[in-house]
Amino acid sequence: MTPTPATPARQGLSEAQARERRARFGPNVLEDREQQGLLQTLRSVATEPMFLLLLLAAAVYLLLGDLGEGLLLSFFALLTVGLVVLQERRSAHALDALRSLAQPQVRLLREGRWQRRAASELVPGDLLAVGEGDRVSADGRLLEATGVSADESLLTGESVPVRKRPWQATDAGGAAPSPGGDDSPWLHAGTLLVAGHGLLEVDATGRRTQLGRIGASLAGIDSSSTPLQLQLRRVVQVFGGAALGTSLLLLLWHGWREGDWLQGLLSGIAIGMALLPEEFPMALTVFLALGAWRLARIQVLARRPAVIEALGSATLLCVDKTGTLTENRMSLRRLCVPGLDLSLQGAADAAALPEALHRLLEFGMLASRRGGADPMDQAVLRRGDAGLAGSEHLHPDWTLLHEYPLSPALLAFSQVWTAPDGQRWIAAKGAPEAVADLCHLDEARWAELRPQVQALAEAGLRVLAVAAGPVGPGAMPPQAHDHRFEWQGLLGFEDPLRASVPAAVAQARAAGVQVAMITGDHAATALAIAGQAGIEVQAGALTGEQMAALDDAALDQALRRVRVFARVMPEQKLRLVQAFQRLGETVAMTGDGVNDAPALKAAHVGIAMGQRGTDVAREAAGLVLLDEDFGRIVGGIRMGRRIFDNLRRVMAYIVAIHVPIAGLALLPVLLGLPPLLMPAHVVLTEMVIDPICSLAFEGAPEHPRLMQRPPRRRDEGLLAPRLLLMALVQGALLLLATLGLYAWALEAGRSTEQARTLALLALTLGNLGLVGLDLSLGLGWRSLLGPAARTFWAVSAAALLVLGVALWLPALRQLLHLALLPWGDALWLFGTMAATLLVTGALTARLQGRD
């Protein structure tokens, strides 16, 4: 959008006025942040199978008259609620932080200055710049409009865009009409500008808008379930059915064999609790929420959690040059007219600028949008305002009459101006070949100019040409081609490469991720910048014109070698994405415009620009790059790989630890031994598992060679066969060791309580040992000594402290059916578990293989 510059008559609201109106009308939001989050969390916990089983077990003990056991299980039920609420709140806080980052941004005029603010700060009376690709943030009237049309289907259901016109004095006094219909001066919140730009005066915000009145809302973050979440829920449902069936069979078996139906019911509840892997969905939810929060900390906003799953598998990054690889800080460095090529350095000086260049700079300014966001327009206007100050070549009193926008058919932008004396002029600025076409230059003249264009491009400069001509009376012709233009000269712009880019490109290539640059620049400019960045340039550049001449098979062949694409139109990005996908690449694509949206949506990972990107691009993308630095994309891949690695670790651990828990609840009963694990023992173990899953594993450090290994396959699941086998082996070894200690203690004459105590201690030590083993896989045992392992040691200390207190206090010891052990049994305990963990570690390393 290009707003009209602020004038004394159009300064916008003052900050004091804005504060007063915000207090009167409230923030520009459609609904308040949900206040029933805690209540909803408690309601969801009340329906969890684990919680219901705990309550059932407590009720059975109370029916048996065992008040202490019943109260203990009731306490555990409350503790379970507390842990779930803690995790849900932690995830919610992370998502709240993301919502604040994802809040739409607008450009508004306050106190005579254009500012970028959150859309929620808009108040009636604000002057708002709107342009193609923007989602309108409030209801209002268009004070200025140039070729504006809007998609109002969100409000009307009509998919055809409608034309908009500027507000006129004859519109005064009437209420804003309902959405729909052409030639209305009103824009409505939630609608989308599909063409043009204008200046909007806000009339209604929040619930007072048309959108607010019909109760619609736009979500800042998509919180729908990911495919992986749905897959894990199905796994939990399967295990839940198995747990229910096994519990009933164990109840019938124990009741029929022993005649003790109540004990059989308690054993059935214990095996049900042991088989329920409720940690799967909880860990995934926490990991995705906190993973999105961690990405936001490195300036990468994940609009959809599902995109985090795809980040680690990206094999190709297709990135823009301007603003992503370069600083998007354009400076006008060369002015070229026939017979004169001037290099500009430092501050502009009117006296130092030759008269022969004044006309070039004059019409370059007239072909630029003042107050707009285009960095090259800003560079021309900045240099011209300083370099032409005090001369007759500045025209603050000229009036903009008409403009011809950039189009795929003509890569040049033109504006028609009216001077105070009524004379009209047109100025055009754009790609040299497009401007040459506007000027109708013959081949001989263009052949004279082409080497100069090539030389500027090879120097890494962005090259634009300027043309101008007088405009006769009468209506404006439909096309810029219908005007008479004269060639004025060339402008060379420098946009320096970001300092972080070469290292980031090298890091990406070391990680097996290729980088392709896609730009609208001249091929020579593109190759120069790509070479500086470290992108593969040996195969040269493929231009948009060359792409258009290739069929799909020929394009696929070219894409096996080429990594630099120049003079590419936004519409061609989609074809590039689809072609790379046909070649088996997992594509991450950056974009910022309306026409980029199809490519962003088609890419496996769409990345929109947070500052210069349109709302359409941001809505189509899964990631938003907040500061538009290429290094952030590589950082996002690193973070995505780390999140996926840690998620795999936690899933393997959950499988591994449920094997001995389920086995110890079931096998002693089937083997005719006294029941080992009661519901209280199972839930005690779960109290260790839950925080370790969501805290210790989520914060685990990354693998030291994380960015030196190739990307994982897209179809590779969380629990690959080898990883699942490794988890089952770990769990089976811990089960055999613990069950062996229990059987040995009973055979050695220990009481059932002493044997249970020995087995429970062994299970706890083995559980903590498994955590340490899984955390250190590929990272080395030293990783358990770093700051990231604090949670692991805190949970371990808490678990051992609770067991120690339970054994030390006679009342708790009796309540949990435990007993003190002879000191000699400690040697058996530590010796057996040390040997088990050593064997488990060796087999795990063998099964895992070296990275």
Side-chain angles (χ1 to χ4, degrees):
M1 158 61 210
T2 305
T4 298
T7 66
R10 188 166 286 166
Q11 294 288 308
L13 300 178
S14 68
E15 291 298 340
Q17 289 175 315
R19 283 194 297 272
E20 185 274 327
R21 297 188 187 194
R22 183 180 173 87
R24 192 192 332 165
F25 296 106
N28 182 34
V29 294
L30 295 177
E31 58 180 11
D32 295 328
R33 189 66 50 83
E34 186 166 349
Q35 301 295 319
Q36 301 299 319
L38 180 60
L39 184 61
Q40 287 189 345
T41 300
L42 293 175
R43 190 181 299 122
S44 66
V45 172
T47 61
E48 285 289 329
M50 181 65 74
F51 181 73
L52 296 176
L53 287 173
L54 268 174
L55 291 183
L56 178 59
V60 171
Y61 277 115
L62 291 175
L63 287 174
L64 290 172
D66 194 336
L67 181 62
E69 192 90 22
L71 292 177
L72 179 66
L73 288 178
S74 300
F75 167 75
F76 281 152
L78 292 176
L79 194 57
T80 300
V81 172
L83 277 174
V84 173
V85 169
L86 174 67
Q87 302 306 329
E88 291 285 344
R89 292 297 89 197
R90 192 174 184 216
S91 299
H93 290 158
L95 290 177
D96 284 345
L98 294 181
R99 287 190 180 98
S100 65
L101 285 173
Q103 194 174 59
Q105 300 283 309
V106 296
R107 291 190 72 219
L108 56 83
L109 186 65
R110 287 270 177 89
E111 298 184 334
R113 293 185 299 107
W114 287 103
Q115 307 172 37
R116 186 168 289 278
R117 298 284 190 89
S120 61
E121 296 185 30
L122 286 176
V123 296
D126 264 328
L127 296 181
L128 175 65
V130 292
E132 180 180 338
D134 288 349
R135 182 75 69 181
V136 182
S137 299
D139 285 5
R141 53 182 180 153
L142 279 167
L143 301 183
E144 300 174 7
T146 303
V148 174
S149 60
D151 177 357
E152 298 184 338
S153 58
L154 181 70
L155 299 175
T156 65
E158 176 55 56
S159 59
V160 177
V162 294
R163 291 190 308 274
K164 297 292 178 179
R165 62 170 174 82
W167 186 84
Q168 301 169 354
T170 55
D171 297 313
S178 299
D182 287 322
D183 299 321
S184 164
W186 296 94
L187 285 179
H188 301 278
T191 60
L192 177 69
L193 259 69
V194 297
H197 57 87
L199 183 69
L200 182 73
E201 182 178 8
V202 175
D203 178 66
T205 58
R207 291 186 175 88
R208 294 174 178 82
T209 62
Q210 290 280 347
L211 187 63
R213 282 196 287 270
I214 63 175
S217 69
L218 298 175
I221 290 181
D222 185 356
S223 57
S224 59
S225 298
T226 69
L228 192 55
Q229 284 174 316
L230 297 175
Q231 177 186 350
L232 287 182
R233 283 177 192 167
R234 287 194 291 270
V235 170
V236 172
Q237 290 170 357
V238 170
F239 273 90
L244 178 62
T246 306
S247 298
L248 290 174
L249 290 175
L250 191 60
L251 167 64
L252 296 174
W253 167 266
H254 199 279
W256 171 76
R257 189 172 181 274
E258 303 292 338
D260 189 349
W261 291 95
L262 285 177
Q263 182 58 51
L265 178 58
L266 291 173
S267 296
I269 292 173
I271 187 62
M273 294 168 64
L275 283 173
L276 275 177
E278 80 286 350
E279 300 90 355
F280 275 142
M282 181 199 72
L284 183 62
T285 300
V286 171
F287 268 58
L288 291 180
L290 294 182
W293 173 74
R294 290 184 187 278
L295 284 171
R297 292 180 68 186
I298 61 170
Q299 301 297 301
V300 180
L301 175 64
R303 294 187 65 255
R304 289 183 288 274
V307 77
I308 298 174
E309 302 170 23
L311 261 181
S313 62
T315 62
L316 178 71
L317 298 179
C318 295
V319 297
D320 290 322
K321 178 184 75 69
T322 304
T324 307
L325 296 178
T326 61
E327 295 180 0
N328 199 23
R329 186 172 49 83
M330 284 287 183
S331 297
L332 185 57
R333 287 290 179 237
R334 300 276 283 275
L335 296 175
C336 303
V337 296
L340 180 59
D341 183 344
L342 179 66
S343 179
L344 302 174
Q345 298 295 334
D349 184 351
L353 192 64
E355 179 66 29
L357 298 174
H358 285 190
R359 188 175 174 87
L360 168 63
L361 195 52
E362 171 190 3
F363 284 106
M365 294 177 69
L366 291 174
S368 301
R369 289 174 172 171
R370 188 172 289 277
D374 187 282
M376 283 182 290
D377 283 357
Q378 293 173 0
V380 171
L381 293 167
R382 188 166 55 246
R383 176 65 67 168
D385 285 339
L388 300 178
S391 74
E392 73 279 10
H393 297 285
L394 288 182
H395 307 291
D397 53 349
W398 285 24
T399 304
L400 179 64
L401 179 63
H402 189 73
E403 66 177 46
Y404 296 94
L406 192 81
S407 70
L410 182 66
L411 298 177
F413 173 72
S414 305
Q415 294 191 136
V416 180
W417 296 86
T418 302
D421 61 2
Q423 190 174 8
R424 301 191 296 185
W425 288 85
I426 186 170
K429 179 166 76 355
E433 55 268 34
V435 174
D437 185 36
L438 277 178
C439 297
H440 304 288
L441 298 184
D442 57 29
E443 184 56 36
R445 176 66 175 136
W446 177 232
E448 293 176 9
L449 295 171
R450 191 182 294 118
Q452 194 174 39
V453 174
Q454 186 74 16
L456 291 175
E458 288 175 352
L461 299 179
R462 176 76 181 269
V463 187
L464 296 181
V466 176
V471 178
M476 288 297 106
Q479 298 179 356
H481 260 296
D482 298 326
H483 290 278
R484 288 190 302 109
F485 285 95
E486 292 183 7
W487 180 274
Q488 301 298 318
L490 297 171
L491 306 175
F493 299 85
E494 180 185 57
D495 184 10
L497 192 72
R498 291 182 186 268
S500 62
V501 166
V505 170
Q507 190 178 39
R509 295 179 68 173
V513 182
Q514 300 179 68
V515 181
M517 187 178 80
I518 303 174
T519 179
D521 278 355
H522 192 280
T525 305
L527 288 170
I529 295 296
Q532 295 173 30
I535 297 172
E536 184 69 40
V537 295
Q538 277 76 8
L542 185 68
T543 66
E545 185 179 355
Q546 291 168 337
M547 279 180 54
L550 299 177
D551 60 20
D552 286 349
L555 179 61
D556 291 354
Q557 189 64 32
L559 295 193
R560 297 182 189 277
R561 302 173 291 103
V562 178
R563 289 296 174 265
V564 179
F565 303 89
R567 286 288 191 254
V568 174
M569 295 302 298
E571 295 85 349
Q572 293 177 310
K573 286 187 175 183
L574 176 60
R575 190 180 177 205
L576 280 174
V577 168
Q578 293 171 335
F580 277 124
Q581 289 174 334
R582 285 196 301 270
L583 296 175
E585 303 285 359
T586 301
V587 181
M589 164 70 75
T590 67
D592 56 11
V594 175
N595 291 332
D596 292 336
L600 291 174
K601 195 166 186 179
H604 299 105
V605 182
I607 306 171
M609 300 297 104
Q611 296 176 8
R612 59 190 167 92
T614 61
D615 290 341
V616 175
R618 285 191 286 267
E619 288 172 11
L623 293 179
V624 177
L625 207 59
L626 297 179
D627 65 0
E628 306 191 356
D629 187 345
F630 173 76
R632 304 299 187 186
I633 304 176
V634 179
I637 291 176
R638 174 186 288 275
M639 188 63 69
R641 289 189 178 189
R642 173 191 164 182
I643 291 168
F644 191 83
D645 278 1
N646 288 342
L647 197 51
R648 294 186 105 177
R649 288 191 183 104
V650 79
M651 294 302 174
Y653 162 73
I654 291 171
V655 171
I657 196 56
H658 273 275
V659 172
I661 296 174
L664 295 176
L666 178 63
L667 291 179
V669 178
L670 296 181
L671 296 173
L673 300 175
L676 199 167
L677 291 184
M678 300 298 180
H681 306 133
V682 175
V683 77
L684 261 179
T685 306
E686 295 285 347
M687 295 299 170
V688 177
I689 295 173
D690 286 353
I692 280 180
C693 284
S694 58
L695 299 176
F697 278 97
E698 196 280 329
E702 66 182 44
H703 192 286
R705 294 189 300 279
L706 183 73
M707 296 297 283
Q708 280 76 51
R709 66 188 189 204
R712 63 179 174 84
R713 299 192 314 273
R714 284 201 313 275
D715 58 352
E716 187 175 343
L718 274 176
L719 282 174
R722 187 168 61 173
L723 189 65
L724 180 61
L725 176 62
M726 181 189 77
L728 293 175
V729 168
Q730 289 179 342
L733 289 173
L734 183 55
L735 170 61
L736 289 175
T738 309
L739 190 60
L741 278 174
Y742 182 62
W744 169 84
L746 291 174
E747 186 68 25
R750 306 292 190 266
S751 66
T752 300
E753 288 75 14
Q754 287 177 319
R756 179 178 293 118
T757 302
L758 187 64
L760 192 60
L761 286 170
L763 179 61
T764 302
L765 290 175
N767 181 10
L768 298 175
L770 275 185
V771 176
L773 183 65
D774 287 342
L775 283 175
S776 64
L777 281 176
L779 304 177
W781 287 101
R782 289 183 180 179
S783 63
L784 298 179
L785 303 177
R790 281 196 298 259
T791 303
F792 164 67
W793 291 114
V795 174
S796 300
L800 295 174
L801 179 63
V802 169
L803 270 180
V805 170
L807 289 174
W808 182 55
L809 294 177
L812 276 178
R813 197 163 60 233
Q814 182 178 359
L815 198 60
L816 291 171
H817 305 286
L818 302 177
L820 294 176
L821 294 173
W823 286 106
D825 287 1
L827 295 176
W828 282 101
L829 172 64
F830 289 113
T832 302
M833 296 320 298
T836 301
L837 289 174
L838 283 173
V839 173
T840 302
L843 285 177
T844 297
R846 188 176 184 84
L847 286 171
Q848 185 194 42
R850 296 190 177 273
D851 287 331

